Amino acid sequence: MKKRVLVTEPIPKSVVDYLEAEVELERWSHPEKIPKGLLLQKIPSFHGLITFKDNIDQEFLQAASQLEVVSNISVGYDNFDIEAIKRSKIIATHTPYVLDETVADLIFGLILATARRIPELHQYVRNGKWSKSVDISLFGHNVHHKKLGIIGMGRIGEKVARRAKVGFQMDVCYYNRSRNHKIESELGAHYEQMDELLKTSDFILLMTPLTEQTYHLIDYEAFRKMKRTSFFINASRGAVVDEAGLINALENQLIQGAGLDVFKQEPIQLNNPLLKMENVVTLPHIGSATAETREEMKLFAAKNMLQALRGDTPDAVIKELN
């Protein structure tokens, strides 16, 4: 008898076929998130769950009486209660590696868009304001040969550092819990303490995961240390930044601008002051959102699922559960 798997995120036919070769599959294919009550009602009869945004907490785990594995279609897993999962003995996986290059592309897009004011000037042309040569009031800032400070030199940070150094001849520094000697030797990136990085970088990229230790890691005091000509880029998680502090810093011109793919609340509320600031580029959390990468992520999540249900160790078990 085949084991049963519930998928709460739309998946392409290639992934459906891959899963159905080994398991009995049920899919939630609506664009909106499955209601929590319905998920709790359904989950007792399933052995596996493939998800993107569902909260895997104590309430869910108590209802999931047959569940053996939950596979997240994401590198991050802040929707997982790790301690509760540890107590449950359920296997939990995620999808690192496959999206690194795609997210790095998006980050560099944010760097260029903020520095060269691309969205703002796009709207300037669309609104019929381009009637003469642009003057200094519309000038942007160079990216090449500037200093990029990366907070969190993981896999994606490495990809960004390579683009910055090789493509734009930037001076790359980083702050991390541990030194990354590979990136230092290969690219000449240099390690700096957080305060020094904040004070001297022209572009500051935040790439840390959201944990108890990193919650509001970047607050108003951190923005006060930055150069007034600096640009802040966040493609990690919204809650790593004190959003009120960021808004305050922008309103008081403590920094030049910001490029944001993540926010405290998602989707962002329409009355959020960030949406009214011309020097802020806002994106709807699309770091890995290309058709090719999302399909690869979903296939990776399916592979993790089948490996676990066969009794094998999945390729990407969440590190806290290893």
Side-chain angles (χ1 to χ4, degrees):
M1 184 177 179
K2 288 184 175 181
K3 293 188 175 180
R4 303 190 71 221
V5 171
L6 175 64
V7 182
T8 58
E9 174 76 4
I11 55 174
K13 186 176 185 302
S14 59
V15 180
V16 172
D17 293 344
Y18 177 67
L19 287 166
E20 286 187 335
E22 295 193 36
V23 299
E24 181 183 333
L25 191 64
E26 183 172 324
R27 293 181 289 152
W28 173 264
S29 298
H30 305 282
E32 66 274 8
K33 183 178 176 180
I34 186 171
K36 184 173 183 179
L38 181 58
L39 178 60
L40 293 177
Q41 180 183 332
K42 282 179 169 292
I43 201 61
S45 63
F46 288 92
H47 304 93
L49 172 70
I50 298 177
T51 179
F52 178 50
K53 298 176 181 176
D54 300 306
N55 288 325
I56 308 305
D57 54 18
Q58 187 63 42
E59 182 182 15
F60 169 87
L61 293 167
Q62 285 179 339
S65 54
Q66 294 192 80
L67 197 68
E68 299 175 29
V69 53
V70 56
S71 181
N72 217 32
I73 309 171
S74 173
V75 175
Y77 41 88
D78 45 288
N79 56 321
F80 283 13
D81 183 335
I82 295 299
E83 293 306 314
I85 293 173
K86 283 181 181 178
R87 293 191 297 270
S88 74
K89 308 298 183 183
I90 287 171
I91 298 169
T93 67
H94 63 147
T95 57
Y97 319 120
V98 296
L99 49 71
D100 296 352
E101 298 283 5
T102 301
V103 176
D105 283 350
L106 188 280
I107 288 167
F108 233 90
L110 277 174
I111 290 172
L112 291 168
T114 54
R116 297 303 305 271
R117 301 169 64 177
I118 292 172
E120 178 189 352
L121 295 177
H122 167 77
Q123 203 59 47
Y124 175 85
V125 175
R126 284 285 185 94
N127 291 342
K129 295 181 179 180
W130 187 28
S131 59
K132 60 179 181 179
S133 297
V134 297
D135 58 25
I136 192 170
S137 67
L138 296 176
F139 288 0
H141 296 262
N142 286 337
V143 174
H144 65 85
H145 295 93
K146 293 296 183 73
K147 183 174 181 179
L148 171 64
I150 302 175
I151 302 171
M153 184 59 85
R155 294 183 310 274
I156 297 172
E158 288 185 19
K159 306 294 186 185
V160 175
R162 194 170 302 280
R163 285 161 171 75
K165 193 71 175 183
V166 177
F168 290 82
Q169 293 81 54
M170 299 181 83
D171 175 22
V172 178
C173 69
Y174 73 97
Y175 172 78
N176 205 48
R177 287 181 300 178
S178 56
R179 296 283 289 269
N180 188 323
H181 296 290
K182 173 188 172 186
I183 210 71
E184 291 180 20
S185 61
E186 289 184 4
L187 294 179
H190 50 101
Y191 177 86
E192 290 185 356
Q193 293 296 331
M194 176 82 85
D195 279 3
E196 183 67 15
L197 182 152
L198 294 175
K199 290 174 182 176
T200 61
S201 298
D202 299 299
F203 296 88
I204 297 163
L205 169 62
L206 184 60
M207 284 307 301
T208 63
L210 175 61
T211 65
E212 290 182 5
Q213 291 72 36
T214 64
Y215 178 77
H216 284 187
L217 175 67
I218 304 298
D219 55 13
Y220 184 72
E221 289 305 310
F223 289 113
R224 285 185 60 188
K225 295 172 184 175
M226 297 178 190
K227 297 162 66 172
R228 287 185 176 267
T229 54
S230 67
F231 293 90
F232 175 71
I233 310 295
N234 187 12
S236 56
R237 287 291 186 267
V240 182
V241 178
D242 177 357
E243 198 167 277
L246 170 60
I247 292 168
N248 198 351
L250 288 161
E251 289 175 340
N252 288 291
Q253 300 180 337
L254 298 186
I255 59 174
Q256 188 75 37
L260 309 171
D261 188 39
V262 291
F263 303 90
K264 176 183 176 181
Q265 179 176 332
E266 297 180 3
I268 190 170
Q269 292 182 313
L270 294 179
N271 63 352
N272 191 310
L274 292 169
L275 299 181
K276 297 177 173 62
M277 298 178 180
E278 289 187 337
N279 60 339
V280 178
V281 177
T282 56
L283 296 177
H285 202 154
I286 58 165
S288 64
T290 67
E292 301 96 328
T293 295
R294 283 294 172 88
E295 181 165 353
E296 194 172 355
M297 289 170 66
K298 290 171 182 179
L299 186 59
F300 192 4
K303 183 180 179 183
N304 283 328
M305 171 63 59
L306 295 185
Q307 287 172 326
L309 292 179
R310 293 182 198 129
D312 300 327
T313 300
D315 289 340
V317 176
I318 289 171
K319 63 182 179 180
E320 290 91 342
L321 303 173
N322 269 325

